[in-house]
C-alpha cells in the first residue's frame, strides 16, 4: 500500500495569478498540493475563461475568507459588440446579432447609467441557486432560467480603449455580486446593439492587488525544488485579509479568555466606540475576530497560529 503524502498546517494567503483555462476549484487544488497544505479555499470564483487575481486561503486563513469576498473588486474586461450569447461570454451559443456599432461618444454617454447602485439581472449561466440548484446546471439542462434583478454597486466604470469598431475595453471597480458579463450584455442592449465578454482579468480583490499576485508558473518552479518551504515563501499573513477592520490589542490574560470562547471587558480610551467586527491581537499575533457589544469584546472566530 502506497504511503499517503504528509500534509501540514500551512496558514496564510496565496494571491494567485490564475491562468485562462483553469477553474477556480482546480487552481485551489493545485495550490494546496504544491503547498502540502491540509486545508484550502478561495475568496471569489473566477470563470475558466478569466485570468487574474484569485485569493487562495490556506489553513487558518480560511476563517477570514468572508472579509475578502465582501471587499471591492477591480476587473479589466473586453466587450465585443454585435453579438450576444446565452452565457454572455465566448463559451455560449449566439442568441442575437446586430450590425450597429457604437461610437466612442455613444459609449461614454451611457457609463453614468451603469455606475452607482444599479439593478442587474445575473446571467442565466451563473452559480446563483434556484430551489437548491445552480442556475448554470438548470440552463445546461435546457430549462428556462428566470432570475430577478438585484441591486449591485458599481463604484467606477471607465472606457479604457476602443481598438476597433467591434471592440471596447473597460475597467470596472465594483462590489460583491456584480457580474461583469451582465454589464457587457446590458450596455450592448442600451446602445441598441449586442455585446458579450471576450476577455476578463481580475486585478484586485479586497486588500489584495496586482503587486501581490504570484503566477502559477512561479509556483511550479518553486515546487520543483522539492522543498515545501520554497513556495510557502510566497504566502501573505493570515491577518492581511483583515486590514480594513479595526484592531484591538489585548494582554495575555485577555487572549487566553478569548481562546476559551469567553468575552473580555474593554477599558480605556483605546477601546473602539462603535459596534462591529474587529481583529484582536496580542503581542503582534492574531488571536481572534471579535465583535464589540457595549464594553465587551466577544470572540467570533478564534485562531490557532502559535508555533
Amino acid at each position: 500500500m502506497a504511503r499517503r503524502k504528509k500534509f501540514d498546517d500551512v496558514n496564510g494567503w496565496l494571491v494567485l495569478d490564475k491562468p485562462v483555462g483553469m477553474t477556480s476549484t482546480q487552481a485551489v487544488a493545485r495550490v494546496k498540493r504544491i503547498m502540502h497544505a491540509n486545508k484550502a479555499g478561495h475568496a471569489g470564483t473566477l470563470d475558466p475563461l478569466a485570468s487574474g487575481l484569485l485569493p487562495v486561503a490556506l489553513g487558518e486563513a480560511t476563517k477570514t475568507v468572508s472579509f475578502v469576498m465582501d471587499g471591492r473588486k477591480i476587473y479589466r474586461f473586453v466587450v465585443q459588440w454585435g453579438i450576444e450569447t446565452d452565457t454572455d461570454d465566448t463559451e455560449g451559443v449566439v442568441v442575437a446579432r446586430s450590425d450597429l456599432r457604437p461610437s466612442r461618444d455613444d459609449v461614454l454617454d451611457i457609463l453614468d447609467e451603469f455606475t452607482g447602485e444599479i439593478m442587474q439581472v445575473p446571467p442565466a449561466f451563473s452559480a446563483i441557486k434556484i430551489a437548491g440548484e445552480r442556475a448554470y446546471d438548470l440552463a445546461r439542462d435546457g430549462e428556462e432560467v428566470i432570475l430577478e434583478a438585484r441591486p449591485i454597486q458599481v463604484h467606477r466604470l471607465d472606457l479604457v480603449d476602443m481598438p476597433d469598431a467591434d471592440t471596447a475595453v473597460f475597467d470596472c471597480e465594483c462590489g460583491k455580486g456584480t457580474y461583469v458579463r451582465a454589464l457587457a450584455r446590458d450596455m450592448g442592449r442600451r446602445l441598441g446593439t449586442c455585446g458579450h465578454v471576450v476577455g476578463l482579468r481580475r486585478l484586485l480583490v479586497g486588500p489584495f492587488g496586482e503587486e501581490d499576485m504570484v503566477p502559477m508558473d512561479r509556483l511550479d518552479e518553486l515546487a520543483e525544488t522539492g522543498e515545501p518551504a520554497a513556495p510557502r515563501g510566497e504566502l501573505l499573513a493570515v491577518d492581511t485579509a483583515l486590514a480594513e477592520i479595526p484592531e484591538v490589542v489585548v494582554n495575555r490574560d485577555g487572549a487566553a479568555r478569548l481562546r476559551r470562547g469567553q468575552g473580555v471587558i474593554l477599558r480605556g480610551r483605546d477601546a473602539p466606540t462603535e459596534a462591529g467586527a474587529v481583529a484582536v491581537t496580542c503581542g503582534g499575533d492574531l488571536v481572534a475576530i471579535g465583535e464589540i457589544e457595549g464594553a465587551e469584546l466577544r470572540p467570533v472566530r478564534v485562531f490557532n497560529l502559535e508555533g
Side-chain angles (χ1 to χ4, degrees):
M1 180 183 295
R3 295 179 61 186
R4 286 184 65 185
K5 290 185 177 180
K6 183 178 181 297
F7 286 83
D8 305 318
D9 293 327
V10 181
N11 304 306
W13 284 94
L14 189 283
V15 185
L16 181 67
D17 186 349
K18 187 191 82 67
V20 171
M22 180 180 290
T23 69
S24 295
T25 300
Q26 290 169 337
V28 170
R30 192 156 158 186
V31 169
K32 182 181 177 183
R33 184 171 64 252
I34 289 172
M35 295 289 179
H36 289 253
N38 280 323
K39 189 176 183 181
H42 66 76
T45 301
L46 269 182
D47 293 337
L49 293 179
S51 69
L53 201 153
L54 180 69
V56 180
L58 300 169
E60 294 291 279
T62 58
K63 296 177 181 178
T64 66
V65 163
S66 63
F67 291 90
V68 178
M69 293 186 69
D70 288 343
R72 294 190 180 192
K73 299 163 182 66
I74 295 179
Y75 297 90
R76 175 158 292 184
F77 63 104
V78 183
V79 178
Q80 181 179 334
W81 306 120
I83 296 175
E84 185 173 314
T85 70
D86 58 359
T87 60
D88 302 317
D89 61 20
T90 57
E91 283 196 316
V93 175
V94 176
V95 294
R97 294 181 183 273
S98 173
D99 293 330
L100 181 65
R101 299 293 183 268
S103 68
R104 184 181 186 87
D105 287 341
D106 291 334
V107 175
L108 291 173
D109 284 345
I110 69 162
L111 293 184
D112 284 347
E113 299 177 30
F114 292 89
T115 306
E117 184 173 301
I118 63 173
M119 299 299 292
Q120 183 184 75
V121 177
F125 286 81
S126 63
I128 294 172
K129 287 190 175 181
I130 302 174
E133 294 192 62
R134 298 291 185 185
Y136 54 65
D137 288 330
L138 297 173
R140 285 169 185 158
D141 289 339
E143 296 189 32
E144 183 181 12
V145 175
I146 300 176
L147 297 172
E148 296 293 328
R150 58 184 188 172
I152 61 165
Q153 191 72 38
V154 177
H155 304 288
R156 177 172 59 86
L157 181 60
D158 297 328
L159 176 62
V160 176
D161 191 17
M162 288 187 70
D164 54 58
D166 293 326
T167 312
V169 183
F170 297 90
D171 276 355
C172 177
E173 182 176 354
C174 56
K176 183 178 179 180
T178 302
Y179 283 90
V180 171
R181 289 180 287 144
L183 281 177
R185 175 200 67 204
D186 293 343
M187 284 194 291
R189 293 175 180 178
R190 174 64 181 83
L191 290 163
T193 182
C194 304
H196 71 290
V197 168
V198 296
L200 176 63
R201 182 167 175 78
R202 189 158 64 189
L203 304 175
L204 179 141
V205 178
F208 303 120
E210 290 182 86
E211 67 281 1
D212 301 313
M213 286 197 283
V214 181
M216 185 65 80
D217 289 348
R218 170 65 177 161
L219 285 185
D220 289 337
E221 289 174 6
L222 292 171
E224 287 175 2
T225 66
E227 295 293 332
R232 292 176 193 172
E234 301 292 339
L235 292 177
L236 300 179
V238 171
D239 61 3
T240 309
L242 306 177
E244 296 181 0
I245 65 173
E247 178 184 0
V248 172
V249 179
V250 297
N251 58 27
R252 290 186 178 182
D253 289 340
R257 287 184 59 85
L258 292 169
R259 289 191 176 106
R260 293 194 298 267
Q262 300 171 327
V264 174
I265 301 300
L266 298 175
R267 298 183 177 87
R269 61 186 180 183
D270 294 330
T273 57
E274 297 182 4
V278 295
V280 187
T281 63
C282 176
D285 296 325
L286 183 63
V287 175
I289 296 171
E291 284 188 349
I292 305 291
E293 295 184 10
E296 186 178 15
L297 170 62
R298 295 181 179 178
V300 176
R301 303 300 299 269
V302 176
F303 295 92
N304 180 22
L305 295 171
E306 296 181 346

